């Protein structure tokens, strides 16, 4: 890139789509409106920045993909951000969004523009764009004509993915089939339910063992998809989130601000040890490079009552989740977008089938006044393994591997080894984030530790981000002085 283009890109890269103090962020709104994972929405916004850059430097008409177009549509609704700040201060001229005239010739034109856009992307950024955001030419608006706004409170949204349908059918049908065996008969007049007690126990015991081996094999050996982006935990905030989740990130930020002297926390007089209260207050201005989380904490601190530190943390958690969303895209925290449906759902469904078979036979045994104790134990074991195979922790296996490595690498920051008085503010942030704010025991950090213990905030705040499917959009076009750009979406759209 030339010097002028470099300056333009730096301005676009630094541009914030959110107003100070916003809790519902631009990326969160984009994810919500399209049914995307939050991390995917963040990646789309990054690519939208590149589209804005190309609209100025490419030197030819350009066209976005459907996903980029959704980010563009949303940005246009932030009128001051788009027209005054982006077009008035960042870009050298206004970037208009206009619908196409429609027709086959328009579609061909926009496909050609899109192809040139991909070529310019590779020229300026030195790599091919990600295909899950920039599909191959001709497919960039493939689903746009079928997309609709849907009120999820009035309609069920059922994906057409056949594997998801199969999973749903097994989830509903398998227990019904096994329970229906109490009354139904096989064509030959004999079913496993006709085995006598000892024979059925041998049968279900063998079946239980085989199915458990099969389900466990699928759960741990079925291959994962490659993550959309490489798993690079390259910032302190990502390290803290991976270790402690969104609440841990907020608490670590609080610890850093206390250590910097931006905030003050003092014990109120008169409280007995079980009922101590602490007052949080601001004492000095924020640094110019303060993060959105720091700005939000600083905004809320003056109004925080002594008993409401936990509520302050929870108000800032939505901003902290922004950091975790990208870790999910890396396949480091759950729900893991890299995990196939078969691996996620089939193992617990297999064990649910065994449990259903056991329940059906228990019903038969009770109706015939037969002992069912051993059968009850096998059924309970099936339910337990079903839950264990379905359950996921906060981090994925890869996330745990990276977390353990980071914890070992930063072991020297453990407050039990190194006093906080000998740490910098950034080291306090990492120490509180990786080893927990409750690891500190003296001074204001000790007060924070005590407040955390009593407010139960030392439990991780794990959460998920959005869902895994998008819901379309429409085409669009732009005009920037002498160069125009547009896109096609069935009926198509263009720029003027």
């Amino acid at each position: 890139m030339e010097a002028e283009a470099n300056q333009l890109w730096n301005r676009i890269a630094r541009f914030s789509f959110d107003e100070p103090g916003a809790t519902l962020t631009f990326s969160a709104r984009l994810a919500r409106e399209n049914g995307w994972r939050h991390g995917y929405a963040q990646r789309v916004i990054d690519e939208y920045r590149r589209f804005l850059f190309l609209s100025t430097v490419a030197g030819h008409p350009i066209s976005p993909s459907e996903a980029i177009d959704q980010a563009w549509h949303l940005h246009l609704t932030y009128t001051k951000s788009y027209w005054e700040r982006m077009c008035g201060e960042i870009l050298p001229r206004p970037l208009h969004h206009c619908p196409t005239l429609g027709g086959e010739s328009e579609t061909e034109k926009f496909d050609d523009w899109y192809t040139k856009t991909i070529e310019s992307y590779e020229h300026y950024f030195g790599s091919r764009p990600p295909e899950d955001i920039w599909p191959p030419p001709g497919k960039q608006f493939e689903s746009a004509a079928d997309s609709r706004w849907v009120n999820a409170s009035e309609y069920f949204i059922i994906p057409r993915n056949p594997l998801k349908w199969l999973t749903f059918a097994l989830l509903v049908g398998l227990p019904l089939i096994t329970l229906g065996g109490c009354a139904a008969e096989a064509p030959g007049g004999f079913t496993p339910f006709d085995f006598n007690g000892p024979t059925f126990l041998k049968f279900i015991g063998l079946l239980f063992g085989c199915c458990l081996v099969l389900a466990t094999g699928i759960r741990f050996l079925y291959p994962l998809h490659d993550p959309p982006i490489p798993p690079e935990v390259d910032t302190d905030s990502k390290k803290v989130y991976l270790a402690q989740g969104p609440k841990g990130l907020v608490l670590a930020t609080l610890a850093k601000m206390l250590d910097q002297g931006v905030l003050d926390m003092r014990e109120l007089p008169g409280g007995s040890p079980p009922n101590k209260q602490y007052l949080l207050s601001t004492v000095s201005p924020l640094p110019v490079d303060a993060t959105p989380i720091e700005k939000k904490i600083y905004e809320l601190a003056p109004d925080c009552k002594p008993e409401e530190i936990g509520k302050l943390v929870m108000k800032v958690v939505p901003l902290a989740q922004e950091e975790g969303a990208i870790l999910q895209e890396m396949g480091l925290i759950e729900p893991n977008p890299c995990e196939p449906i078969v691996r996620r759902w089939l193992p617990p469904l297999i064990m649910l089938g065994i449990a259903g078979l056991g329940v059906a036979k228990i019903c038969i045994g009770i109706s015939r006044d037969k002992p069912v104790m051993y059968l009850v134990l096998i059924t309970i074991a099936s339910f337990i393994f079903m839950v264990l195979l379905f359950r996921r922790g906060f981090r994925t296996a890869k996330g745990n591997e990276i977390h353990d490595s980071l914890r070992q690498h930063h072991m020297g920051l453990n407050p039990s080894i190194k006093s906080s008085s000998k740490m910098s503010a950034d080291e306090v942030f990492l120490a509180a984030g990786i080893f927990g704010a409750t690891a500190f025991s003296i001074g204001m950090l000790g007060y924070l530790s005590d407040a955390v213990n009593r407010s139960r905030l030392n439990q991780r705040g794990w959460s998920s981000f959005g869902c895994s499917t998008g819901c379309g959009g429409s085409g669009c076009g732009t005009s920037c002085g002498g160069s125009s750009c547009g896109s096609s979406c069935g009926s198509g759209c263009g720029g003027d």
Side-chain angles (χ1 to χ4, degrees):
M1 301 181 188
E2 298 177 356
E4 188 176 340
N6 262 322
Q7 293 174 5
L8 172 64
W9 172 245
N10 289 334
R11 292 199 303 269
I12 294 174
R14 290 194 302 266
F15 181 84
S16 174
F17 293 92
D18 297 306
E19 294 296 326
T23 301
L24 178 59
T25 61
F26 184 84
S27 61
R29 190 186 296 273
L30 182 64
R32 185 186 68 180
E33 293 190 358
N34 290 279
W36 292 339
R37 297 185 307 273
H38 196 160
Y40 179 78
Q42 289 181 341
R43 292 174 54 227
V44 169
I45 292 170
D46 289 341
E47 295 302 318
Y48 171 57
R49 295 179 191 274
R50 297 186 173 202
F51 169 76
L52 293 172
F53 173 77
L54 291 174
S55 71
T56 298
V57 302
H60 60 76
I62 70 169
S63 175
S65 66
E66 183 180 355
I68 303 299
D69 190 44
Q70 289 301 311
W72 193 7
H73 285 177
L74 181 60
H75 195 194
L76 281 163
T77 66
Y78 289 64
T79 53
K80 289 185 177 179
S81 171
Y82 186 81
W83 290 113
E84 295 181 10
R85 295 183 56 224
M86 177 56 76
C87 294
E89 300 173 7
I90 306 299
L91 301 180
R93 50 190 175 270
L95 183 65
H96 291 281
H97 182 290
C98 308
T100 184
L101 300 175
E104 186 176 345
S105 61
E106 290 283 284
T107 300
E108 292 176 356
K109 177 178 72 176
F110 295 130
D111 282 347
D112 178 60
W113 288 5
Y114 185 77
T115 300
K116 292 179 179 177
T117 302
I118 299 298
E119 293 172 354
S120 292
Y121 185 108
E122 294 174 2
H123 170 73
Y124 281 100
F125 296 106
S127 64
R128 288 194 59 81
E131 281 201 12
D132 59 336
I133 298 176
W134 296 87
K139 296 183 178 181
Q140 69 271 27
F141 274 88
E142 199 169 46
S143 63
D146 297 322
S147 300
R148 301 290 186 274
W149 281 91
V150 177
N151 186 341
S153 66
E154 296 181 1
Y155 299 94
F156 290 109
I157 301 174
I158 303 174
R160 294 188 181 184
N161 187 317
L163 283 176
K164 291 186 177 180
W165 272 103
L166 176 62
T167 300
F168 177 77
L170 287 173
L171 183 63
V172 174
L174 199 55
L176 294 177
I177 291 171
T178 54
L179 290 173
C182 297
E185 291 188 2
F190 182 84
T191 71
F193 298 107
D194 293 320
F195 286 136
N196 60 33
T199 304
F200 187 85
L201 282 176
K202 293 177 183 178
F203 166 75
I204 197 171
L206 179 62
L207 187 63
F208 171 84
C210 293
C211 287
L212 180 59
V213 171
L214 175 63
T216 304
I218 295 173
R219 168 67 179 83
F220 294 103
L221 300 180
Y222 198 91
L224 296 168
H225 301 310
D226 292 332
I229 52 178
E232 298 176 353
V233 185
D234 51 4
T235 67
D236 288 349
S237 293
K238 288 189 179 79
K239 295 175 183 178
V240 169
Y241 196 104
L242 187 63
Q244 298 290 335
K247 292 179 186 175
L249 179 55
V250 177
L251 290 170
T253 305
L254 262 172
K256 176 183 176 180
M257 296 173 75
L258 288 169
D259 188 77
Q260 286 175 321
V262 173
L263 298 180
D264 179 73
M265 179 177 276
R266 55 189 174 84
E267 182 181 348
L268 295 179
S272 58
N275 301 305
K276 288 181 179 180
Q277 291 189 333
Y278 304 94
L279 182 64
L280 188 66
S281 60
T282 58
V283 292
S284 65
L286 275 172
V288 293
D289 59 347
T291 67
I293 296 177
E294 291 172 344
K295 292 176 182 178
K296 190 66 176 179
I297 292 174
Y298 193 83
E299 173 193 334
L300 297 173
D303 299 322
C304 181
K305 297 179 181 178
E307 69 277 8
E308 293 184 347
I309 291 178
K311 291 182 180 179
L312 179 148
V313 171
M314 294 309 298
K315 288 179 181 178
V316 186
V317 159
L319 285 177
Q321 290 173 340
E322 296 276 323
E323 198 70 48
I326 205 67
L327 292 175
Q328 187 190 31
E329 288 296 289
M330 296 177 185
L332 301 181
I333 61 175
E334 298 287 357
N336 185 0
C338 309
E339 184 173 34
I341 295 174
V342 169
R343 175 175 168 141
R344 182 72 178 91
W345 289 101
L346 191 56
L349 286 175
I350 290 173
M351 300 313 297
L352 178 62
I354 301 300
L357 190 67
V359 169
K361 186 62 175 178
I362 288 171
C363 294
I364 295 174
I366 292 174
S367 68
R368 296 175 181 175
D369 292 326
K370 300 292 185 180
V372 293
M373 179 58 67
Y374 289 115
L375 193 54
V376 168
L377 293 176
I378 291 176
T379 303
I380 291 174
S382 299
F383 275 116
I384 291 173
F385 280 108
M386 179 194 73
V387 172
L388 291 176
L389 289 168
F390 177 79
R391 186 180 179 186
R392 297 294 187 273
F394 172 53
R395 292 179 290 269
T396 64
K398 183 64 176 179
N400 280 325
E401 178 185 329
I402 293 177
H403 168 255
D404 292 343
S405 175
L406 289 172
R407 188 178 175 90
Q408 187 64 36
H409 179 73
H410 293 289
M411 187 58 69
L413 297 178
N414 191 329
S416 64
I417 299 175
K418 184 175 183 179
S419 170
S420 61
S421 62
K422 299 179 181 178
M423 295 184 190
S424 66
D426 289 334
E427 288 177 331
V428 167
F429 176 73
L430 270 176
I434 294 178
F435 300 100
T438 56
F440 295 96
S441 59
I442 59 172
M444 285 187 290
L445 295 179
Y447 295 159
L448 177 62
S449 174
D450 186 44
V452 168
N453 274 321
R454 289 189 294 104
S455 63
R456 299 179 183 176
L457 283 172
N458 53 323
Q459 300 175 8
R460 290 188 184 92
W462 301 337
S463 60
S464 60
F465 308 88
C467 51
S468 59
T469 58
C471 55
S474 61
C476 55
T478 65
S479 173
C480 323
S483 65
S484 61
C485 41
S487 63
S488 167
C489 59
S491 59
C493 50
D496 181 17

